[in-house]
Amino acid sequence: MQKLNLTGTSKHQTDDQMKGLSAIFVDGDEVFVDNGAIHAKSRLEVGVKFVPSLDEVPNPRRVEGVWVTLKRQESGLGYTGAMPFELWIDSANKLGYKKLSDHVNQMDKAVRGQVDLSRMSSEAIQKVGQYVQTIRPDLWENATDAFRSAFSS
């Protein structure tokens, strides 16, 4: 079982804002957590030159991600926020495109406990939903209603 390495916190202070944050990626059939994404150093991003326009990436593949946060509820630590983001990666050419401001804004919304998966494909929502339910069932049981309903369609 993969550990999320999240602690959850009810107060957001400068040093603690990211403690309850993680990134879950859907890259084809693979679903995985990569907390390096918080600092733009996920395994998908390392070694890739990001260019200012998607038009500059010859053979891009879309990688969907979702920022997920934890917060302590009355019943225990559980999932709270979920906001999507995307990367376009051309592994062969080591080029990629991402809108950094969007990544940061979506991260901030997730930290604040917002849930909105409307920009994700239904396939990715299903994959992430299954993943978060099985990786740590206790976090799923203690998740907010908004979080669970977003992944239980």
Side-chain angles (χ1 to χ4, degrees):
M1 179 170 9
Q2 188 175 7
K3 186 176 177 185
L4 287 177
N5 294 325
L6 301 176
T7 60
T9 181
S10 60
K11 296 179 182 175
H12 297 291
Q13 301 168 359
T14 304
D15 293 339
D16 293 334
Q17 277 186 334
M18 304 303 188
K19 277 190 177 179
L21 178 69
S22 191
I24 300 175
F25 288 96
V26 178
D27 188 8
D29 290 331
E30 187 180 11
V31 180
F32 59 95
V33 172
D34 192 333
N35 289 333
I38 294 169
H39 299 289
K41 294 182 180 179
S42 70
R43 71 179 191 192
L44 295 169
E45 295 167 291
V46 171
V48 172
K49 177 184 176 187
F50 285 91
V51 294
S53 169
L54 181 56
D55 294 334
E56 296 177 51
V57 183
N59 300 302
R61 77 176 186 280
R62 183 176 184 226
V63 178
E64 293 185 77
V66 61
W67 298 113
V68 175
T69 54
L70 298 178
K71 187 175 179 182
R72 191 157 305 280
Q73 313 294 332
E74 278 186 31
S75 56
L77 189 61
Y79 298 115
T80 304
M83 295 299 293
F85 63 95
E86 65 184 11
L87 302 169
W88 295 87
I89 304 288
D90 179 346
S91 299
N93 291 301
K94 297 186 184 290
L95 289 174
Y97 171 77
K98 64 181 176 180
K99 193 171 179 183
L100 185 57
S101 61
D102 183 60
H103 283 229
V104 172
N105 290 334
Q106 296 296 85
M107 185 188 299
D108 181 59
K109 289 176 183 179
V111 167
R112 295 178 192 276
Q114 293 182 30
V115 179
D116 180 359
L117 304 180
S118 60
R119 293 178 13 191
M120 288 182 76
S121 69
S122 57
E123 182 181 357
I125 292 170
Q126 181 183 10
K127 287 178 180 181
V128 173
Q130 289 173 347
Y131 185 80
V132 296
Q133 289 177 52
T134 56
I135 190 171
R136 288 278 308 271
D138 59 317
L139 297 177
W140 179 256
E141 289 301 317
N142 296 326
T144 62
D145 290 340
F147 188 95
R148 274 195 274 180
S149 67
F151 287 104
S152 299
S153 38

